[in-house]
Amino acid sequence: MASQFSGILQLTDLDDFITPSQACVKPVKLEKKPGKSIAKIQIEDDGSYFQVNQDGGLQKLEKAKITLNDCLACSGCVTSAETVLIAQQSQDELYKVLQHNKQSSAEQTVVVVSVSPQSRASLAARFNMSTSDTARRLTAFFKNLGVHHVFDTGFSRNFSLLESQREFVERYQRKQQDKKALPMLTSACPGWVCYAEKTHGDFIIPYLSTTRSPQQVMGSLVKSYFADQHNLTPKQIYHVTVMPCFDKKLEASRSDFFMKQADTREVDCVITSGEVMKMLEQEGLSLNDVEPAPLDTLFSSVREDELLRHEGSSSGGYLHHVYMHAAKQLFGVEVKDITYKTVKNKDFQEVTLEKDGTVLLSFATSYGFRNIQNLVQKLKRGKSPYHFVEVMACPSGKVNGGGQVKPVPGRSSKEVLEQVEELYRAEETRAPEEEAAVEHLYQTWLQHVGEEKARELLHTGFHAVPKNTNGLVMKW
Ligand code: SF4
């Protein structure tokens, strides 16, 4: 089966990949008793594992089942385990919850779907319609299936951008005392984060921005704020996101985003744009046939029923937002337009703020594995000139995620990508600080939960994953 994860995950740790012929076995930890050396493990031809005791006796070891969490715990089994990942987070799981709600008169699960701007652009390209029209028809499609609310992760991205801006200014101000405060590397792409944690671990982690991605901010909004407002426990909500890639399934499954007390995930299931296509096909529908429904405006960025985007790249506009505000906040410079300078290829671009011949800010975008590898090497050699880098695993960024809708026969991927980008850019823009609902949530919800809790809801942490050489499970 061809891998559906981002190129960077497929390229990472090739040596570690378990070949498809091998069973994926969760390693068993051996208890070392005082005075006794550790027993050996013998693998039989049929793949069974035996513990060889000191007296030569064999004890069969149980084959453990791999759950999604276990799968992410080891550093090498992404390829073999992807069928597990996909099965545990797929449209079938969503259908199961919807079916349960239909059949049971007892407790109903509130189903929330949050759609990413890149996914709506991908579906818009497939059905030749505007992104807002697509969003209205998707809202109707999901609601007809029994979904209760359909939101837009463009809304939660406002928090991601504002928090990234604050984080950058704070890091910039402590750059003399903390050698790893800069460059700040964005962390909204789980393909890149997974690569960074597994391959460069403790070296790279301090550089990663702790600001949560839009998907995981939406997780906080839905399972924390929305649940409180509706007198629901987080577990009574089933939260699905629609994303441009499979790597987002990895992100949702991270232990950092599991609400221990409530015993639930902030995002229960991630389905890709392509999986939404499959759902439409399963229902025998084209989006063109679905009557549009009004958008759910609670967590959506809209102006007169039209969805809005952020300025800058179609991967979220992190560089744009942070650069404009850092220039103003740190140097009092009002930037009107940003000039991007292409370095080597279109996926590596630089933006520089200069005053009297002195470089004040040096920012870059780095998309795709090759550029990321170069960036990391520069950092390791102490030769990176950057203060901030927007990093994405996919060449051309998020609109080109591996989970986007595949081109119909006769259309090239390049052609479709251009159309998706164009549709994304056709949306009008609004700056995060101009979004009244976001300001309101900062003033009410986040002040109410307290500074520490607000940090927890909008930020996260990272963990170096040692290579899986000793057979012990390392948590991702
Ligand atoms: S760049 Fe975006 S689409 Fe590509 S792997 Fe990262 S999160 Fe997914």
Side-chain angles (χ1 to χ4, degrees):
M1 173 185 162
S3 176
Q4 289 162 304
F5 289 90
S6 70
I8 201 163
L9 276 185
Q10 294 167 56
L11 285 164
T12 307
D13 297 334
L14 283 173
D15 296 345
D16 296 341
F17 278 15
I18 293 171
T19 62
S21 59
Q22 281 181 275
C24 188
V25 177
K26 183 179 163 187
V28 180
K29 189 178 177 181
L30 297 175
E31 296 299 333
K32 189 181 175 193
K33 297 204 174 106
K36 290 201 168 184
S37 59
I38 275 187
K40 287 185 182 148
I41 291 186
Q42 188 173 305
I43 307 172
E44 298 298 296
D45 289 345
D46 65 355
S48 337
Y49 279 56
F50 283 88
Q51 179 174 317
V52 187
N53 298 327
Q54 296 242 295
D55 59 8
L58 295 180
Q59 188 191 333
K60 189 165 185 189
L61 295 173
E62 209 184 318
K63 226 181 211 184
K65 277 193 179 166
I66 299 294
T67 66
L68 188 51
N69 237 359
D70 295 323
C71 157
L72 299 176
C74 106
S75 70
C77 63
V78 169
T79 301
S80 292
E82 62 196 23
T83 44
V84 182
L85 286 165
I86 291 164
Q88 286 179 350
Q89 289 199 41
S90 67
Q91 69 272 26
D92 295 341
E93 290 301 303
L94 168 60
Y95 271 120
K96 270 188 214 160
V97 176
L98 296 172
Q99 198 58 30
H100 173 83
N101 272 355
K102 274 185 196 143
Q103 286 168 351
S104 160
S105 53
E107 198 178 300
Q108 296 280 298
T109 303
V110 174
V111 185
V112 174
V113 174
S114 303
V115 183
S116 69
Q118 292 84 4
S119 292
R120 71 173 181 253
S122 175
L123 287 152
R126 175 68 181 77
F127 293 103
N128 259 320
M129 53 178 77
S130 74
T131 53
S132 291
D133 199 13
T134 304
R136 282 186 284 270
R137 287 170 199 261
L138 276 179
T139 302
F141 171 65
F142 283 125
K143 290 197 172 176
N144 292 343
L145 290 177
V147 170
H148 300 91
H149 304 273
V150 181
F151 299 137
D152 155 36
T153 61
F155 180 80
S156 49
R157 192 166 67 194
N158 287 304
F159 290 92
S160 302
L161 293 173
L162 290 166
E163 289 300 309
S164 296
Q165 167 199 336
R166 278 170 215 210
E167 187 184 345
F168 178 77
V169 170
E170 182 270 315
R171 278 171 175 257
Y172 189 92
Q173 285 165 340
R174 70 172 149 89
K175 74 178 188 331
Q176 299 304 345
Q177 306 89 280
D178 179 358
K179 292 288 168 237
K180 287 204 163 186
L182 297 178
M184 178 168 126
L185 309 176
T186 59
S187 62
C189 166
W192 147 240
V193 168
C194 190
Y195 166 76
E197 287 181 327
K198 285 179 174 182
T199 311
H200 302 287
D202 290 330
F203 168 77
I204 209 88
I205 284 173
Y207 297 111
L208 294 179
S209 160
T210 61
T211 300
R212 283 184 180 217
S213 71
Q215 168 171 281
Q216 294 310 139
V217 171
M218 191 55 106
S220 289
L221 282 168
V222 169
K223 292 272 178 132
S224 181
Y225 175 79
F226 179 84
D228 279 356
Q229 296 291 304
H230 290 77
N231 286 322
L232 295 164
T233 63
K235 212 173 176 166
Q236 285 173 309
I237 303 173
Y238 189 73
H239 184 204
V240 182
T241 58
V242 178
M243 288 286 145
C245 74
F246 286 84
D247 298 14
K248 282 283 173 188
K249 296 178 196 244
L250 299 180
E251 180 179 54
S253 325
R254 284 174 74 93
S255 54
D256 310 77
F257 303 129
F258 184 78
M259 304 170 86
K260 277 197 197 80
Q261 269 187 337
D263 188 31
T264 184
R265 293 196 178 284
E266 294 175 344
V267 175
D268 297 282
C269 179
V270 178
I271 55 174
T272 62
S273 323
E275 285 167 334
V276 173
M277 265 308 291
K278 283 191 192 147
M279 288 176 77
L280 284 159
E281 282 160 17
Q282 203 166 324
E283 300 298 320
L285 287 171
S286 152
L287 212 50
N288 304 89
D289 306 328
V290 180
E291 277 300 308
L295 297 171
D296 276 336
T297 51
L298 177 64
F299 296 146
S300 295
S301 286
V302 284
R303 184 186 292 135
E304 292 167 5
D305 216 26
E306 293 295 305
L307 280 154
L308 303 170
R309 69 172 172 97
H310 293 113
E311 289 275 14
S313 71
S314 53
S315 294
Y318 286 86
L319 181 148
H320 185 101
H321 181 84
V322 176
Y323 181 83
M324 302 289 265
H325 287 82
K328 176 104 189 289
Q329 273 176 277
L330 295 168
F331 306 104
V333 178
E334 288 270 6
V335 178
K336 294 268 179 292
D337 274 320
I338 296 187
T339 310
Y340 289 81
K341 184 176 143 218
T342 300
V343 187
K344 284 190 187 160
N345 56 65
K346 67 172 177 41
D347 279 335
F348 202 112
Q349 302 202 312
E350 287 179 349
V351 175
T352 310
L353 181 71
E354 280 188 16
K355 204 173 180 184
D356 306 328
T358 307
V359 173
L360 302 178
L361 289 176
S362 176
F363 279 34
T365 56
S366 177
Y367 297 173
F369 183 66
R370 291 272 164 255
N371 289 326
I372 289 176
Q373 222 182 13
N374 286 337
L375 171 72
V376 174
Q377 290 318 319
K378 269 191 188 166
L379 263 173
K380 286 196 166 170
R381 291 199 302 267
K383 296 239 176 323
S384 160
Y386 307 116
H387 295 117
F388 177 98
V389 187
E390 182 179 292
V391 189
M392 299 289 155
C394 293
S396 303
K398 281 186 188 301
V399 281
N400 192 27
Q404 295 286 59
V405 180
K406 299 284 169 256
V408 291
R411 294 203 76 196
S412 70
S413 306
K414 187 169 173 275
E415 231 179 313
V416 174
L417 180 61
E418 278 168 10
Q419 193 190 357
V420 175
E421 182 78 31
E422 211 173 287
L423 282 159
Y424 180 95
R425 296 205 169 277
E427 289 179 359
E428 286 186 25
T429 61
R430 181 189 278 155
E433 59 276 18
E434 288 165 6
E435 189 77 61
V438 170
E439 175 61 21
H440 178 73
L441 284 165
Y442 266 110
Q443 298 299 335
T444 53
W445 172 51
L446 291 166
Q447 282 202 4
H448 169 73
V449 296
E451 203 179 311
E452 204 180 312
K453 183 80 182 152
R455 208 192 125 68
E456 185 190 314
L457 291 164
L458 301 178
H459 290 258
T460 186
F462 306 98
H463 325 277
V465 182
K467 295 272 184 195
N468 190 17
T469 49
N470 60 1
L472 299 183
V473 169
M474 310 292 174
K475 281 283 168 200
W476 191 49

